[in-house]
Amino acid sequence: MKDTSHTRPKLEDVARLAGVSKTTVSRVLNNRGYLSEKTIQKVNDAMAALGYQPNIIARQLFQQKTYLVGLIFPTVNNPFFAQLEAEMERLLYKRGYKVLMGNSQNDPDKEEDYLKQLLTHQVDGLIVGAHNQGLEYSHHNLPIVSIDRIMNDDIPVVSSDNFQGGKLATERLLKRGCRYVVHTNGPLNLNTPAQQRRLAYESVMEAHGLKPITYHIDFNISQEEKREVLRCIFEEHPLVDGIFASNDTDAAILLSLAREYNREVPRDLKIIGYDGADMTQLLLPHLSTIQQPINQMAKTAVNLLENRMNGKVSQSNTHILPVKLLDNGTC
């Protein structure tokens, strides 16, 4: 005689115990059609009593959804991206989605490989913040939202108010008496909203009759190589009295280098960063910075993606969120 004590419960077992049809159980599982709360509760109670686990693959085929969302970003080894990805994962999980995450390390081949893998897993949508140019996303006919990256006209972009951030930072340095202000920026040929920080810096400097000096730093170099590039600021511009760094990790390296060159911050060198992530504020509470609304950016991106996955397209593809200056002591 066959032992059925460990037989996995089936849909018909749930229907029999709940006293309803298999169709009704299926409708409860897939949230289709009107059902009374009493019926829904009876089905849920029967599933709990039997230890019934729905066939997830069958449900996905029925609904034509996998409830998987892909995230492709440069790295979690950066407080800004780490907080952004963590908050998006939290919000998506609350809405019933699981997240597949790829960190491209600013490598276009790696980004393309992650994109192919995510498409293989049939994700319902993508949120992308990697910085590689030339990789085609739009032809995959998939709902996509971008953060701080201009991809295609039909893909919405979420960013902070980069121009206002650059203006706030530069004006604060000048207000504090700086006249020899240097700016660090990403690659000049990279088409991202973050370039507005540089444009604002240049505009404010020129409006005050001062010469803008920008160091463009490749994303692909190591921290050691970046440190050597930033060292050039002190070697090539010994009179520098203010630095507007395009991110807080650059600002942290610059604070370390200032000590090497016996420059006291903020007495004879003032530094302002950009990002203001929670972890940075915890580890470098004295760093003055332009704070992006990271959690609000995550929420906006998730809302936009969910709307697009449900066939709702926003009227605007540009979503700019306000920034604020945290004057914590280094400027």
Side-chain angles (χ1 to χ4, degrees):
M1 182 175 173
K2 184 179 180 180
D3 180 9
T4 60
S5 60
H6 299 293
T7 301
R8 185 174 178 176
K10 300 178 180 179
L11 192 74
E12 50 263 37
D13 299 323
V14 176
R16 188 180 306 111
L17 183 59
V20 299
S21 68
K22 289 196 297 181
T23 301
T24 298
V25 176
S26 179
R27 287 168 62 193
V28 171
L29 289 172
N30 294 294
N31 195 25
R32 293 296 180 101
Y34 172 78
L35 293 167
S36 70
E37 288 298 324
K38 182 179 179 181
T39 299
I40 294 172
Q41 190 61 52
K42 282 166 60 178
V43 171
N44 286 330
D45 288 345
M47 286 192 293
L50 293 169
Y52 175 77
Q53 296 295 324
N55 186 327
I56 300 299
I57 295 176
R59 287 180 66 188
Q60 291 173 353
L61 289 172
F62 178 76
Q63 297 177 341
Q64 294 185 318
K65 293 184 72 173
T66 62
Y67 291 94
L68 293 174
V69 168
L71 305 180
I72 303 180
F73 282 83
T75 177
V76 293
N77 192 26
N78 177 301
F80 170 74
F81 291 120
Q83 182 176 336
L84 186 66
E85 291 189 58
E87 181 64 10
M88 287 190 294
E89 189 278 335
R90 186 186 72 83
L91 293 170
L92 287 162
Y93 183 81
K94 285 180 65 176
R95 301 182 192 198
Y97 295 93
K98 301 296 189 297
V99 166
L100 297 177
M101 194 178 300
N103 291 300
S104 67
Q105 303 293 332
N106 297 307
D107 181 338
D109 293 332
K110 191 173 182 181
E111 181 180 345
E112 185 171 21
D113 187 44
Y114 270 128
L115 175 59
K116 290 176 181 177
Q117 290 185 46
L118 290 170
L119 292 173
T120 299
H121 281 85
Q122 296 183 312
V123 293
D124 293 333
L126 285 172
I127 300 178
V128 181
H131 293 146
N132 300 303
Q133 299 292 100
L135 187 57
E136 184 60 59
Y137 278 86
S138 61
H139 71 266
H140 295 291
N141 194 30
L142 188 71
I144 298 173
V145 172
S146 167
I147 294 184
D148 259 344
R149 173 176 174 180
I150 300 171
M151 300 171 71
N152 297 289
D153 291 340
D154 60 336
I155 295 177
V157 181
V158 177
S159 68
S160 69
D161 193 338
N162 289 282
F163 192 89
Q164 178 65 8
K167 183 179 178 183
L168 283 173
T170 311
E171 287 180 344
R172 177 54 60 95
L173 290 169
L174 297 184
K175 185 177 180 180
R176 293 293 168 85
C178 299
R179 287 297 176 268
Y180 202 132
V181 180
V182 173
H183 174 50
T184 71
N185 186 47
L188 185 60
N189 62 349
L190 194 62
N191 188 19
T192 75
Q195 291 288 354
Q196 293 294 315
R197 303 173 198 175
R198 173 184 58 81
L199 295 175
Y201 156 77
E202 292 175 350
S203 176
V204 172
M205 290 289 285
E206 289 168 355
H208 285 79
L210 301 171
K211 180 184 177 182
I213 302 167
T214 300
Y215 278 71
H216 297 282
I217 302 174
D218 195 325
F219 289 133
N220 295 319
I221 62 176
S222 67
Q223 290 299 309
E224 291 76 15
E225 290 172 311
K226 179 185 286 191
R227 187 179 183 87
E228 291 310 305
V229 173
L230 294 175
R231 186 184 296 278
C232 293
I233 295 176
F234 296 89
E235 296 287 344
E236 298 170 357
H237 304 280
L239 297 179
V240 61
D241 55 7
I243 303 176
F244 167 33
S246 62
N247 58 72
D248 288 341
T249 54
D250 281 7
I253 296 173
L254 288 162
L255 286 171
S256 174
L257 287 170
R259 287 192 292 271
E260 284 188 27
Y261 285 85
N262 298 314
R263 305 295 299 278
E264 187 175 331
V265 178
R267 189 188 69 183
D268 56 6
L269 176 65
K270 296 171 175 55
I271 297 175
I272 296 182
Y274 202 105
D275 285 339
D278 292 345
M279 186 56 67
T280 304
Q281 292 299 296
L282 179 66
L283 297 176
L284 293 172
H286 61 293
L287 175 64
S288 297
T289 189
I290 302 299
Q291 187 175 50
Q292 301 196 70
I294 301 174
N295 290 352
Q296 187 60 40
M297 291 169 71
K299 183 177 181 180
T300 301
V302 169
N303 287 342
L304 284 168
L305 185 67
E306 189 169 44
N307 285 338
R308 290 173 77 84
M309 290 190 298
N310 291 327
K312 302 174 186 176
V313 179
S314 60
Q315 293 182 342
S316 173
N317 274 345
T318 303
H319 303 265
I320 300 175
L321 302 176
V323 298
K324 65 180 179 181
L325 171 65
L326 300 182
D327 192 350
N328 291 332
T330 59
C331 71

